[in-house]
């Protein structure tokens, strides 16, 4: 009779059908999962995490030992401006319900994430994990005494490409319009690289202090450069326009990955243009079913 090794980790991924969740699922499926790990990817179809009752039922059903918490109400600059109260209330409810259910069901470790939008508007660069606003915002979530569970937070740089999923100009020959001047600068991280870093955080990073998961400062590019890289990767022959009537948002949010590099000095990030090329190839192949 074949002996099956017991599963040591049951890992629940909230927001499992989003950009980062699907990337983690792919990386795990492609061979980076381990025999002692059981991965459970859930979405809003499985439970409404703004409901304490549904969240509790989800955790009691799966009884995870570890959680990667990605679920949130998310959106860009203009959606945040228009629905700022909704963002605040929904995400407060989601986070409180997930963390409380994690405590009640004995979860050993929770890894949660947020954007570099958490950093103050006026600051010095590069931003790092010691910045005051970040520490004040995150410390209450790290540990709930006296239970001493390991609950920690990751800061992420931008993960997507400007307006790529908003339209597919090649379908109808229209111009590609990017909101803003194209001058703001961002550090883009490929979702599959980010997924691999999440696996490392889950398995190896045992601090409660935050850590920034980002490419280096030297990899920062302008939105115009990002748009031009998409145009090249898509072999788009139409006009590239910048709608300067739309706000640019924060000019830059340059983050330091020095702490990450101390832990993983040899980690290889996918080069920016290669990541754009692979993303555009996926988008073209999956356009009919891609979230738009």
């Amino acid at each position: 009779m074949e002996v099956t090794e017991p599963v040591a980790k049951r890992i629940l991924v909230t927001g499992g059908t989003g950009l980062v969740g699907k990337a983690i699922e792919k990386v795990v499926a492609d061979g980076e999962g381990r025999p002692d790990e059981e991965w459970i990817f859930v979405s809003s179809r499985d439970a409404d995490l703004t409901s304490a009752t549904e969240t509790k039922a989800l955790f009691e059903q799966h009884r995870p030992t570890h959680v990667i918490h990605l679920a949130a109400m998310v959106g860009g600059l203009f959606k945040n401006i228009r629905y700022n109260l909704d963002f605040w209330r929904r995400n407060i409810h989601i986070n409180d319900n997930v963390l409380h259910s994690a405590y009640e069901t004995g979860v050993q470790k929770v890894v949660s994430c947020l954007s570099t939008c958490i950093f103050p508007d006026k600051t010095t660069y590069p931003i790092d994990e010691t910045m005051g606003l970040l520490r004040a915002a995150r410390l209450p979530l790290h540990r709930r005494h006296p239970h001493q569970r390991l609950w920690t937070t990751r800061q992420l740089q931008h993960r997507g490409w400007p307006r790529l999923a908003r339209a597919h100009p090649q379908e109808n020959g229209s111009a590609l319009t990017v909101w803003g001047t194209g001058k703001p600068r961002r550090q883009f991280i490929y979702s599959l690289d980010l997924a691999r870093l999440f696996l490392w955080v889950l398995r190896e990073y045992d601090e409660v202090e935050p850590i920034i998961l980002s490419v280096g400062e030297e990899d920062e590019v302008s939105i115009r450069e990002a748009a031009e890289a998409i145009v090249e990767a898509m072999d788009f022959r139409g006009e590239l326009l910048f709608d300067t009537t739309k706000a640019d948002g924060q000019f830059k949010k340059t983050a330091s990955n020095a702490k990450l590099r101390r832990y993983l000095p040899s980690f290889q990030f996918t080069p920016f243009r290669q990541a754009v090329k692979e993303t555009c190839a996926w988008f073209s192949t999956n356009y009919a079913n891609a979230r738009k």
Side-chain angles (χ1 to χ4, degrees), residues 33-51:
R34 293 179 178 176
D36 66 341
E37 296 173 344
E38 178 184 357
W39 289 83
I40 304 160
F41 295 86
V42 297
S43 72
S44 56
R45 294 182 179 179
D46 298 285
D48 175 6
L49 298 181
T50 64
S51 163

Side-chain angles (χ1 to χ4, degrees), residues 18-142:
L19 176 65
V20 182
K22 294 299 287 186
I24 294 173
E25 185 176 30
K26 177 174 173 54
V27 166
V28 169
D30 285 351
E32 296 193 38
R34 293 179 178 176
D36 66 341
E37 296 173 344
E38 178 184 357
W39 289 83
I40 304 160
F41 295 86
V42 297
S43 72
S44 56
R45 294 182 179 179
D46 298 285
D48 175 6
L49 298 181
T50 64
S51 163
T53 301
E54 290 194 32
T55 307
K56 181 179 180 181
L58 180 74
F59 274 74
E60 290 181 343
Q61 175 188 350
H62 294 293
R63 307 298 300 187
T65 61
H66 295 67
V67 173
I68 295 179
H69 177 35
L70 306 174
M73 180 180 179
V74 298
L77 171 65
F78 296 97
K79 188 174 179 180
N80 272 272
I81 291 173
R82 186 172 182 180
Y83 299 107
N84 56 356
L85 180 59
D86 300 86
F87 272 82
W88 171 258
R89 296 187 71 248
R90 286 180 62 84
N91 288 328
I92 284 291
H93 288 316
I94 289 171
N95 291 335
D96 183 61
N97 290 336
V98 167
L99 292 178
H100 187 66
S101 292
Y103 151 63
E104 285 195 321
T105 55
V107 170
Q108 299 169 23
K109 184 173 184 178
V110 176
V111 179
S112 58
C113 69
L114 45 77
S115 164
T116 46
C117 294
I118 189 66
F119 291 109
D121 177 25
K122 294 178 175 58
T123 188
T124 56
Y125 295 103
I127 297 163
D128 65 29
E129 296 86 353
T130 67
M131 297 301 192
L133 178 62
L134 173 65
R135 293 176 61 84
R138 305 320 302 169
L139 281 175
L141 300 185
H142 285 156

Side-chain angles (χ1 to χ4, degrees), residues 191-247:
S191 60
L192 298 181
D193 292 344
L194 183 58
R196 295 183 180 98
L197 290 173
F198 261 97
L199 296 190
W200 169 76
V201 168
L202 182 80
R203 295 164 178 166
E204 308 293 339
Y205 183 77
D206 289 330
E207 291 187 30
V208 295
E209 293 297 324
I211 186 169
I212 292 173
L213 305 181
S214 175
V215 298
E217 301 162 49
E218 69 280 4
D219 295 313
E220 191 173 58
V221 298
S222 71
I223 298 302
R224 175 178 287 275
E225 290 172 309
E228 289 171 347
I230 293 170
V231 166
E232 179 182 340
M234 299 288 288
D235 193 28
F236 176 60
R237 306 301 175 85
E239 190 175 7
L240 175 63
L241 304 175
F242 291 85
D243 184 353
T244 58
T245 67
K246 300 294 192 298

